[in-house]
Amino acid sequence: MRLRSALLGLLATMSIAGPAMAEFPDKPIRIMAPYAPGGNIDVTARIIADKLKDVLGVTVLVENKAGASGMIGADIIARSPPDGYNLLVSANSMVDIPVIYGNAPYDWKTAFQPISHIQAVPAVLVVHPSSPIKTLADFIKVGRETPAKLAVADSGVGTTNHIVLELMSDATQAKYTVIHYKGSGQASIDVIAGQVPAQVDQLNSSLGHIRAGKLRAIAVTSDKRMPELPDVPTVKESGIPELKDFTYSTFTGLFGPAKMPPEVLKKLNEAMVKVLTDPVTVKKFADLTAEAKPSTPEELRAMLDVEDRTAVPLIKKLGIKPE
């Protein structure tokens, strides 16, 4: 009887422990790209998914769920089980968009677990090649001396390109008429055609036009000059005192739902370090003028906190709302 009881007890223990002993990951992982295919977030998600499947040894699928400037797809992940199988690629705009729309179904500070930074792309200020504006100092001077006379295009309300322009405008008290487009493509077309004098864009979107001589780059918002545009100064080099420390990038990160198990978070972060230090992956991002760079979860959260301290107060001050 004692032996029988002992065996029954062992079997019971094994039946309880069995599922918990499965090592993560043991099934496909979904990465949500909460925007339409082809954009920065989608391309980023697919690059890391392609390598992550090799590192983790499971299928990694990318799902697109566009809508509400990324909030619909993000909310799906926020509501998913925090088991590491449902992940999100998002940008620093995840901090700004809920403030602009005012109806986010989640609080980004508590709904998501940062896993790792992925890549960052600076913005660039471009003008039509015939423009008399040759430098950032010229651009700021026009905005100060003739407020709101100069029209500047961006890729939409609340996008990081819009935020860059508003941050520079607020710091220097230079004012412009901002024209919001639904994406960078049409905005660039109108600047190239001479219908709009200037544009703030992500460097990877405008680089081809700049190289072709269809747009002239005035300044980049990176910390150092970009290898792709060695003759284009940074905003910091502009000689404008209010902008002597100005840098800004659209950065992307990998997130999961809040309350992920520590061991799952650790494994995903370690996997991302391998992905983002792989020479092939690094080159794929470099070809897009993006710098691939992993981080700790804490470092990624700190980056979002900086966005929260700088961009959000300005959004509230200006009363930026969706069109």
Side-chain angles (χ1 to χ4, degrees):
M1 289 294 291
R2 289 181 179 176
L3 178 60
R4 184 168 180 268
S5 297
L7 287 172
L8 288 172
L10 177 61
L11 288 171
T13 301
M14 290 174 64
S15 67
I16 294 172
M21 291 172 66
E23 185 176 352
F24 173 84
D26 66 346
K27 62 181 182 180
I29 292 173
R30 170 178 65 166
I31 297 180
M32 178 67 71
Y35 293 91
N40 181 41
I41 296 294
D42 176 63
V43 172
T44 296
R46 294 182 187 281
I47 289 175
I48 65 165
D50 187 53
K51 185 62 181 178
L52 200 58
K53 65 179 175 57
D54 298 330
V55 174
L56 292 175
V58 297
T59 300
V60 181
L61 303 170
V62 175
E63 179 181 335
N64 296 94
K65 195 73 172 179
S69 294
M71 290 193 293
I72 291 176
D75 186 47
I76 291 173
I77 299 304
R79 297 174 184 274
S80 298
D83 52 13
Y85 292 101
N86 297 280
L87 307 175
L88 170 73
V89 169
S90 192
N92 34 334
S93 57
M94 72 184 295
V95 176
D96 308 326
I97 293 299
V99 180
I100 293 170
Y101 279 78
N103 61 346
Y106 52 78
D107 180 349
W108 68 267
K109 293 181 181 179
T110 57
F112 303 103
Q113 169 60 62
I115 297 171
S116 174
H117 174 268
I118 301 174
Q119 54 94 343
V121 179
V124 61
L125 173 65
V126 295
V127 296
H128 189 274
S130 65
S131 173
I133 297 173
K134 306 293 185 182
T135 66
L136 183 61
D138 293 340
F139 180 76
I140 298 301
K141 182 179 180 182
V142 170
R144 284 172 168 168
E145 294 183 352
T146 55
K149 181 179 180 180
L150 186 68
V152 184
D154 66 25
S155 53
V157 176
T159 60
T160 50
N161 299 330
H162 179 203
I163 297 301
V164 164
L165 179 59
E166 296 293 3
L167 285 170
M168 290 196 297
S169 177
D170 187 65
T172 60
Q173 296 304 299
K175 304 301 179 184
Y176 308 93
T177 295
V178 186
I179 302 178
H180 303 295
Y181 286 78
K182 293 181 179 179
S184 296
Q186 187 59 50
S188 295
I189 289 172
D190 283 358
V191 177
I192 291 169
Q195 296 179 19
V196 182
Q199 178 187 4
V200 176
D201 195 12
Q202 291 181 357
L203 178 58
N204 53 1
S205 297
S206 287
L207 185 60
H209 297 312
I210 295 168
R211 285 174 168 169
K214 296 178 180 180
L215 294 173
R216 185 170 72 242
I218 298 299
V220 290
T221 62
S222 51
D223 185 56
K224 298 177 181 178
R225 293 196 183 197
M226 298 298 293
E228 298 81 4
L229 298 172
D231 297 328
V232 179
T234 66
V235 172
K236 292 167 57 176
E237 295 177 295
S238 65
I240 300 167
E242 297 92 337
L243 300 176
K244 63 182 179 62
D245 298 316
F246 188 94
T247 61
Y248 194 96
S249 292
T250 299
F251 65 82
T252 57
L254 184 66
F255 303 83
K259 300 180 181 179
M260 293 174 65
E263 63 274 14
V264 173
L265 175 60
K266 182 174 185 291
K267 190 155 190 176
L268 284 171
N269 179 262
E270 290 173 348
M272 287 299 292
V273 171
K274 292 179 181 178
V275 168
L276 295 170
T277 54
D278 173 71
V280 174
T281 305
V282 170
K283 186 178 186 305
K284 284 181 179 179
F285 281 120
D287 289 344
L288 299 172
T289 70
E291 180 185 10
K293 186 178 181 181
S295 75
T296 65
E298 293 76 18
E299 288 169 338
L300 178 54
R301 183 173 294 279
M303 295 174 72
L304 294 175
D305 287 339
V306 170
E307 183 80 11
D308 193 39
R309 293 196 304 269
T310 55
V312 169
L314 182 62
I315 291 168
K316 292 179 178 178
K317 173 183 174 181
L318 298 177
I320 298 174
K321 297 295 180 185
E323 293 185 324

